[in-house]
Amino acid sequence: MFSRTSLLAFLIAILVTLVCFKSCSVFAEHNGFDLSESLIPAEKILPGGPARDGIPSIDKPEFIAAKQAGGWQDDQQVLSLTLAGITRAYPINILNWHEIVNDNFGGQPVVISYCPLCGTGMAFSADMNGEALTFGVSGLLYNSDVLLYDRQSDSLWSQLKSQAVTGKYKGQKLTQLPLNQMTWKEWKARYPDGEVLSRNTGYSRDYSQSPYGSYDESPVLYFPVEFRSQAYHPKERVLGVEVDGKFKAYPFAELSKISNDELLDEFNGTQFKLRFNTSSRTGEVVDAETGQAYPAVNSFWFAWYTFHPDTDVYKAK
């Protein structure tokens, strides 16, 4: 028979075990990341399926001179970044399988990120207060968008918010770089002396195929999002810009109504020039006054809207 003291100790031990089991289960469900003080509600951070690093980032990228790179079809798309006098292309066919490339431009650490579920390619400086961060795929999603994590602090970073939502860097923003999406044919013509990410990634993947099938055209979303809009097809492509905390989307459905392939527009005190191709749904944004490339996001409409439900939207006259 248990004494009263022994019975109480036994019950406490069971309770502690149950609490620990639940905590450990939640910890495992979130791929080992601590969400207890997250800037976004922890219940809205969902497991995407793969474990942490189950989608492997490319940490030692190899590049091929544009003139020597072959095997890509003219209409296949790439993300292009020019920095420190270097221009590099990152084929989306590769990024669909890896989502993150940790790169370096003349000593400047950079992370290239692509979320296949949101159709968003974004580049950021990986220099955080003098510390060079390297990133991996957490396997977690917020509003269907990839959550990156840095291997130095285990902080989780929302791609479309450009911000750390947990950990040491919680609340800090990444500096977005002007990353343009275009066809392989256009990129080769514009940057004949550029470099393209090699298929020699260290992993065995079929880079001629997308693991997401017809997802880009389907109205179906794989994961719930906070805000929805029926104004356009969920996968309608938009070019999105931010100016001092204000957001504006330029849907290609609207741009296609313009007689030429350029648009001059003013938003929140800044004049932009958009150059675009409505057939490939690609384009770029430059500051109309300086001619400098402006960071923009080529995104599915649903993704842009769920992160920026108060966004302005360009309407063709």
Side-chain angles (χ1 to χ4, degrees), residues 230-248:
Q230 303 301 319
Y232 301 98
H233 188 287
K235 307 295 176 54
E236 168 66 18
R237 283 273 176 187
V238 305
L239 286 177
V241 296
E242 175 187 0
V243 182
D244 297 330
K246 301 291 185 180
F247 301 90
K248 187 167 186 176

Side-chain angles (χ1 to χ4, degrees), residues 202-244:
Y203 299 93
S204 178
R205 301 288 190 274
D206 184 358
Y207 295 125
S208 67
Q209 302 292 327
S210 169
Y212 297 90
S214 60
Y215 173 82
D216 287 11
E217 291 75 36
S218 167
V220 175
L221 306 186
Y222 291 167
F223 295 91
V225 295
E226 191 169 2
F227 301 103
R228 295 289 297 268
S229 166
Q230 303 301 319
Y232 301 98
H233 188 287
K235 307 295 176 54
E236 168 66 18
R237 283 273 176 187
V238 305
L239 286 177
V241 296
E242 175 187 0
V243 182
D244 297 330

Side-chain angles (χ1 to χ4, degrees), residues 164-175:
V165 297
T166 69
K168 171 184 175 181
Y169 291 111
K170 182 174 69 173
Q172 297 208 39
K173 301 274 286 188
L174 291 169
T175 300

